[in-house]
Amino acid sequence: MPRRSLPDISIRQLEYLVAVADAPSWAAAAGEIGVSPSALSQGLAELERRVGIQLFESVGRRRKLRATVTPVLDHARHVVALTRDVVSWADRLRLADTGRVSLGMIDVAAVVHFPDVLRGFRSEHGDVDLRLTVAPSRSLLDDLQRGALDLVVCVEPPQPMTGIEFVPLLIEPMIVYGPPGVPIDGPASWGPWVLFPEASHSRRLVIDRLRELGASTEVAAESHQPDVLREMVLLGLGWTVLPRSQGESERGELAVGEQILERQLVVARRAGAVTDPAVDELARRLTR
């Protein structure tokens, strides 16, 4: 049986699809990529025709992506991000503007584990424009997937991500901490908790492990900032689970419990991306 020929899908049509998925409305998506709403609609209708499946469904007066077309959207994100990499690389080569790295890190990576790597890289490569974003893992990986970041150091996500490759960096023990003076007994006595927000990779690891141990999973408060979590525990608002480097501080001693799990930190990159040599050099230093 002859192989079906590939549909003639344009990168522009895939860019339209990503824009509609990420923007709050079709009008906003059109404005983001600089086309009229009618041109956006026509381009996506043509994409549907060429792919051969219905990508959108009507919900009231709005058109929304069908939940079943996630593989198409993942493919679109990957292709658009890689195309942006090539365009960015070509622009830098044409303008002799080589040496630019957009790096994303979770706070503990930037402040505790890799500050010497960053200082050394900047000292030896003063001509490189190093731009650092510190944010939670999920936000960083979303930015990496859409092409806004070149490298990310974060907590390993629970599932693989389309178009992203991960290299292990280090393992962090995660420790239970209680309010000062509170006895650390068995898991049944732990909680309530002050934890990272629900979308956090670390939060998911912690909640799954607490369930395995038979501990309460009631969450009284949450924050992306480990220092804020520590302060809430010091105030007696609940217990927390943090890496030792973030759970212990000169600003007050928490009751220190046991290690209940480990989390893997990784460096993440877009698979197959055309990158600046400076990106490759920083990735080597991080994984050394």
Side-chain angles (χ1 to χ4, degrees):
M1 180 177 179
R3 180 182 298 176
R4 180 190 174 193
S5 60
L6 294 175
D8 185 13
I9 300 172
S10 73
I11 293 173
R12 190 63 163 162
Q13 290 164 351
L14 297 178
E15 185 185 27
Y16 288 178
L17 183 65
V18 172
V20 166
D22 292 343
S25 68
W26 280 51
E32 180 71 23
I33 56 179
V35 300
S36 67
S38 62
L40 179 68
S41 182
Q42 290 170 12
L44 288 172
E46 182 63 18
L47 176 61
E48 282 187 316
R49 188 186 70 77
R50 295 185 181 187
V51 172
I53 60 173
Q54 190 174 351
L55 301 175
F56 298 90
E57 60 185 349
S58 296
V59 179
R61 300 179 64 181
R62 299 182 59 193
R63 296 181 68 201
K64 295 183 61 177
L65 274 170
R66 291 177 176 270
T68 54
V69 303
T70 299
V72 180
L73 179 59
D74 287 344
H75 172 78
R77 290 191 191 281
H78 188 48
V79 171
V80 169
L82 291 181
T83 304
R84 285 182 179 142
D85 289 337
V86 172
V87 171
S88 177
W89 170 82
D91 285 344
R92 293 196 297 271
L93 190 65
R94 176 172 53 83
L95 299 172
D97 184 23
T98 57
R100 182 185 305 161
V101 182
S102 295
L103 172 66
M105 284 184 154
I106 58 173
D107 50 10
V108 70
V111 176
V112 177
H113 296 307
F114 299 107
D116 291 342
V117 172
L118 298 182
R119 280 192 291 267
F121 181 83
R122 295 195 68 178
S123 174
E124 296 177 30
H125 299 276
D127 57 332
V128 173
D129 181 12
L130 177 60
R131 303 179 183 183
L132 176 62
T133 299
V134 178
S137 296
R138 182 166 182 170
S139 173
L140 293 174
L141 289 172
D142 287 345
D143 285 345
L144 176 67
Q145 199 169 43
R146 67 183 179 87
L149 294 173
D150 300 313
L151 286 176
V152 162
V153 177
C154 65
V155 178
E156 184 177 32
Q159 287 92 28
M161 295 181 64
T162 300
I164 304 297
E165 58 186 17
F166 300 94
V167 176
L169 291 180
L170 58 89
I171 291 175
E172 284 188 312
M174 301 289 283
I175 314 295
V176 171
Y177 294 95
V182 172
I184 304 288
D185 296 322
S189 66
W190 299 346
W193 300 94
V194 292
L195 298 175
F196 296 114
E198 192 169 356
S200 160
H201 297 160
S202 296
R203 162 80 167 261
R204 179 168 177 174
L205 290 171
V206 168
I207 291 295
D208 288 348
R209 181 57 177 155
L210 290 176
R211 288 195 179 111
E212 290 176 2
L213 294 172
S216 164
T217 57
E218 177 189 353
V219 178
E222 56 186 38
S223 172
H224 279 301
Q225 302 297 325
D227 287 345
V228 174
L229 296 178
R230 286 193 79 263
E231 291 303 314
M232 287 194 286
V233 177
L234 284 171
L235 291 172
L237 297 180
W239 297 47
T240 195
V241 178
L242 290 170
R244 190 177 300 279
S245 60
Q246 294 179 313
E248 299 175 20
S249 166
E250 296 177 356
R251 295 189 59 186
E253 291 300 325
L254 304 180
V256 182
E258 63 185 85
Q259 174 185 328
I260 62 168
L261 72 145
E262 296 175 333
R263 70 177 186 182
Q264 176 75 62
L265 298 193
V266 296
V267 60
R269 304 179 69 174
R270 283 184 298 282
V274 176
T275 58
D276 190 294
V279 175
D280 296 331
E281 171 62 16
L282 181 54
R284 281 194 293 270
R285 288 174 178 246
L286 288 167
T287 55
R288 192 172 295 166

